[in-house]
Amino acid sequence: MSTILEKIAQIESEMARTQRNKATAGHLGLLKARLAKLRRELITPKGGGGASEQGFEVSKTGDARVGFVGFPSVGKSTLLSNLAGVYSEVAAYEFTTLTTVPGCIKYKGAKIQLLDLPGIIEGAKDGKGRGRQVIAVARTCNLIFMVLDVLKPLTHKKLLEHELEGFGLRLNKQPPNISFRKKDKGGVNLNATVAQSELDLDTVKTILGEYKIHNADITLKYDATADDLIDVIEGNRIYIPCIYLLNKIDQISIEELDVIYKIPHCVPISAHHHWNFDDLLEMMWQYLKLVRIYTKPKGQLPDYSSPIVLHHEYTSVESFCNKLHRTIAKEFKYALVWGSSVKHQPQKVGIDHVLNDEDVVQIVKKV
């Protein structure tokens, strides 16, 4: 392990010494590619994980999972226990592997699992502490809550982002709009639909060469960076929305609070006084992009008490059937839908119809 860490340190120091200009772009691209490969070895050791990794995963419950990250003493524990105390409908879960799992909170009919990811310290991405296992759990979350002390938010924010980025987590970012296809022969073919400020054919070839790729078609659909290209080649990046919770707002002035409200992806709160929890949960709901579908048995009123909750990318009638029970899709004849996804109320639809939030669905099976 130490040899990988030493190599990472050497590359990082060389990158810090190298001036950034057109002449050094290729060399910096090469160093970034080497760094990405070494980091991948750290996250997934060649032995396939080993015994130290086992037992740290927490079983997934509910409709979505929210992970809390933050340095010690920023108020994570207070926030978790208060949120779970106010909004929880089930008792706290206990796992021996993580320090705190307050269980599920119920919000707008959806059950959302909250996980405290302990011990994210500086250097976690380099294998210090139990950072590697912690971030492996973070990669399974649908949303990250980064809890920051409002009196020193920016330094902590940068350090935590740096750790998570080092593990292939991309916060509040979209996957790079780069098409990349390996081929058997024909060399490297680079197309750019807009002018490029950082990547040219030589730099792209240098980065691909580090991955022993000598034949590929690449199309850059925006002004891309070497990091973007490396993310696409690595193919193991996870794009997660993140909300920054600036805690302890009871210690600052109203003027300072006005400034904080203008920062993107931020919610100012006081975990101790339960301040602004409603704003926090509403923003959590927007970022999770969950879709609630209500069931309607034949001849009865819709059941509005317990919606079927779907992820926004999987909202077809087929996904709804599979969430109810995996045999329903096989017996499916058609569905009657009431709501904003149809023109008529009700409307007869097929299994590929895409549902909207708060639609009501009645499934009709084959006889």
Side-chain angles (χ1 to χ4, degrees), residues 214-272:
H214 304 294
N215 302 290
D217 289 332
I218 293 168
T219 306
L220 309 173
K221 298 170 187 173
Y222 69 111
D223 188 5
T225 65
D227 292 314
D228 295 336
L229 179 59
I230 290 164
D231 281 356
V232 170
I233 297 166
E234 284 279 335
N236 62 353
R237 304 304 189 227
I238 300 216
Y239 297 85
I240 300 184
C242 175
I243 298 174
Y244 303 99
L245 312 188
L246 294 176
N247 190 23
K248 306 181 185 176
I249 55 169
D250 46 309
Q251 299 177 16
I252 62 170
S253 67
I254 296 290
E255 290 77 19
E256 288 171 304
L257 191 57
D258 286 340
V259 172
I260 285 167
Y261 255 112
K262 291 171 184 162
I263 303 169
H265 313 295
C266 272
V267 182
I269 56 160
S270 168
H272 183 67

Side-chain angles (χ1 to χ4, degrees), residues 33 40 45 50 56 60-61 69 79 84 94 114 150 202 205 210 218 221 237 245-246 275 280 292 294 299 363:
R40 174 162 29 100
F56 202 80
K60 206 166 186 174
T61 62
V69 298
L79 174 62
E94 276 190 22
L114 302 179
V150 76
D202 290 339
K205 279 183 174 175
E210 182 59 27
I218 293 168
K221 298 170 187 173
R237 304 304 189 227
L245 312 188
L246 294 176
W275 290 354
L280 164 61
R292 294 158 295 173
Y294 301 109
I363 302 291

Side-chain angles (χ1 to χ4, degrees), residues 50 91 95 161 219 226 307:
F95 292 94
E161 282 175 341
T219 306

Side-chain angles (χ1 to χ4, degrees), residues 60-111:
K60 206 166 186 174
T61 62
D63 300 304
R65 174 182 266 192
V66 177
F68 284 63
V69 298
F71 285 103
S73 74
V74 292
K76 267 193 313 177
S77 303
T78 310
L79 174 62
L80 282 160
S81 53
N82 286 350
L83 264 182
V86 175
Y87 295 94
S88 179
E89 61 149 16
V90 286
Y93 295 2
E94 276 190 22
F95 292 94
T96 52
T97 48
L98 284 174
T99 52
T100 330
V101 183
C104 280
I105 64 169
K106 191 162 187 182
Y107 188 67
K108 292 193 177 183
K111 289 178 180 161

